[in-house]
Amino acid sequence: MSKIVVTGGLGFIGSHTVVELQNQGFEVVVIDNLSNSSIEVLDGIERITGKKPEFSAIDLREKLKVQSFFMEHNDVAGVIHFAASKAVGESVQNPLLYYENNLGALVYILQELEKKKEAHFIFSSSCTVYGQAEVMPIAETTPIQPAMSPYGNTKQIGEEIIADVVKVSAINAILLRYFNPIGAHPSGEIGELPIGVPQNLVPFITQTAIGLRKELSVYGGDYPTNDGTCVRDYIHVVDLAKAHVVALQRLLNRQNLDKIETFNLGTGTGSSVLEVINAFEKVSGQKLAYKIVDRREGDITSAFANTDKANNILGWKTQSTLEEAITSAWKWEQKVRSV
Ligand code: WQD
């Protein structure tokens, strides 16, 4: 079976994708610099799939190490590229860290793949490229807005770099624009491991419920939505991981219609912050301590996906409900805190 490199493969979405790849029989090599992940995730992947992937602790900003990796692994069929810094707020404070890490690493990987007679590349992008879209649900044809953060800009520029490179190389690419990934593998063996205070909603909810945080601050209750809180498209991370395998198989089987294709990955349903809180209280049987405070700088009002293209062309759709995703996140939080 084809050898696939997964960069950032010990991270939240990366590790869940490695599980699904190994479940499908792919030979996986993980690259991760452990800056936002833990080596123990390899054991979790092994407990789920019965196989520990080969692992290389390379920092992809080190060009010579990237070159020697791909010389050693000259039989790589494809790369799924997750490795990137992803904290919106941090990117505003430290833009060069984001441009170097998110774009420098991308260039070095593509320079190795362009040497090949054929290569397949899947890029972890984000709905953040749409900014606040005018029309809901958001389709892939929705105009890209000027980025609201260096993080978002690295996703936009990354997509443009790939689009330029596929024109003059044997690389075929698929850009996957994620909406809001949440949850954890149902086994409880892997999940999200936010470092420090979680920026994202669901890990903050579960850390509040487990007693790590005093209360959740709901950033804004005066948005023009049904209940005044922001709306997002929360997608189970396992559904998201499975989409990567489907996309990879599309490229390996040469079913792609163009050398670069773009797909939005979401459920197609928007949920407000209060609806997520209510869903958590329902699945956990616990009341959540929260208060509505001022809006968070940079937040958009609403974003949820038009899933037609992913459903009809990619042949993928989400299987899990919001409550199932939140249940898996809560199970994971309880497990992580029980050790
Ligand atoms: C969701 C909603 C907050 C925390 C970001 C990135 C995106 C992707 C996912 C990387 C918003 C509200 C949150 C809290 C809150 N990241 N919230 N209290 O901002 O939609 O997307 O993470 O790829 O690129 O932009 O996700 O989970 O931070 O926020 O009220 O303590 O929850 O205001 O409305 P977001 P989020």
Side-chain angles (χ1 to χ4, degrees), residues 159-179:
E159 291 190 359
E160 290 166 8
I161 290 171
I162 297 161
D164 286 343
V165 170
V166 300
K167 289 175 192 155
V168 292
S169 70
I171 299 171
N172 296 287
I174 288 180
L175 312 176
L176 297 177
R177 292 174 179 166
Y178 312 152
F179 281 68

Side-chain angles (χ1 to χ4, degrees), residues 86 88 126 128 151 178-181 198-202 204 216-219 230-232 234 273 296 299-300:
K86 63 161 203 168
V88 173
S126 168
T128 202
Y151 161 74
Y178 312 152
F179 281 68
N180 286 60
Q199 297 302 305
N200 296 133
L201 178 64
V202 170
F204 204 105
L216 169 75
S217 295
V218 174
Y219 297 137
C230 294
V231 171
R232 296 290 185 274
Y234 296 97
V273 176
R296 179 171 70 176
D299 276 342
I300 58 172

Side-chain angles (χ1 to χ4, degrees), residues 71-91:
M71 271 192 279
E72 182 194 342
H73 294 280
N74 57 17
D75 54 346
V76 167
V79 174
I80 304 181
H81 183 47
F82 292 103
S85 303
K86 63 161 203 168
V88 173
E90 181 189 47
S91 78

Side-chain angles (χ1 to χ4, degrees), residues 115-328:
K115 297 171 185 172
K116 292 178 168 297
K117 287 197 288 295
E118 184 181 48
H120 305 289
F121 188 71
I122 293 181
F123 182 63
S124 167
S125 191
S126 168
C127 64
T128 202
V129 302
Y130 299 113
Q132 177 56 73
E134 302 276 309
V135 175
M136 291 298 138
I138 300 173
E140 290 80 356
T141 50
T142 297
I144 303 298
Q145 304 270 5
M148 294 166 74
S149 71
Y151 161 74
N153 208 21
T154 65
K155 291 301 180 185
Q156 290 184 6
I157 298 170
E159 291 190 359
E160 290 166 8
I161 290 171
I162 297 161
D164 286 343
V165 170
V166 300
K167 289 175 192 155
V168 292
S169 70
I171 299 171
N172 296 287
I174 288 180
L175 312 176
L176 297 177
R177 292 174 179 166
Y178 312 152
F179 281 68
N180 286 60
I182 63 167
H185 194 271
S187 67
E189 297 295 351
I190 56 173
E192 196 166 5
L193 287 167
I195 294 173
V197 179
Q199 297 302 305
N200 296 133
L201 178 64
V202 170
F204 204 105
I205 287 176
T206 56
Q207 287 194 10
T208 300
I210 204 100
L212 260 179
R213 310 287 163 203
K214 185 169 155 297
E215 70 179 2
L216 169 75
S217 295
V218 174
Y219 297 137
D222 59 352
Y223 284 94
T225 61
N226 289 345
D227 60 20
T229 63
C230 294
V231 171
R232 296 290 185 274
D233 186 333
Y234 296 97
I235 175 173
H236 196 305
V237 66
V238 173
D239 282 331
L240 188 59
K242 288 178 175 172
H244 288 75
V245 180
V246 172
L248 178 69
Q249 287 166 331
R250 177 176 175 85
L251 291 177
L252 291 173
N253 299 334
R254 298 178 183 82
Q255 294 165 314
N256 50 311
L257 305 175
D258 299 302
K259 281 181 67 56
I260 185 166
E261 296 178 308
T262 303
F263 296 95
N264 286 348
L265 298 181
T267 66
T269 301
S271 300
S272 74
V273 176
L274 289 179
E275 284 170 336
V276 174
I277 292 170
N278 293 338
F280 176 80
E281 292 182 334
K282 182 179 171 195
V283 303
S284 66
Q286 283 188 220
K287 287 302 285 173
L288 186 79
Y290 70 90
K291 68 176 181 217
I292 296 183
V293 300
D294 291 340
R295 296 182 176 191
R296 179 171 70 176
E297 182 72 28
D299 276 342
I300 58 172
T301 301
S302 177
F304 55 94
N306 177 323
T307 58
D308 292 348
K309 194 176 173 190
N311 299 164
N312 302 330
I313 295 182
L314 192 54
W316 165 90
K317 68 186 305 185
T318 50
Q319 304 298 314
S320 301
T321 64
L322 175 68
E323 289 183 5
E324 286 165 341
I326 291 173
T327 298
S328 68

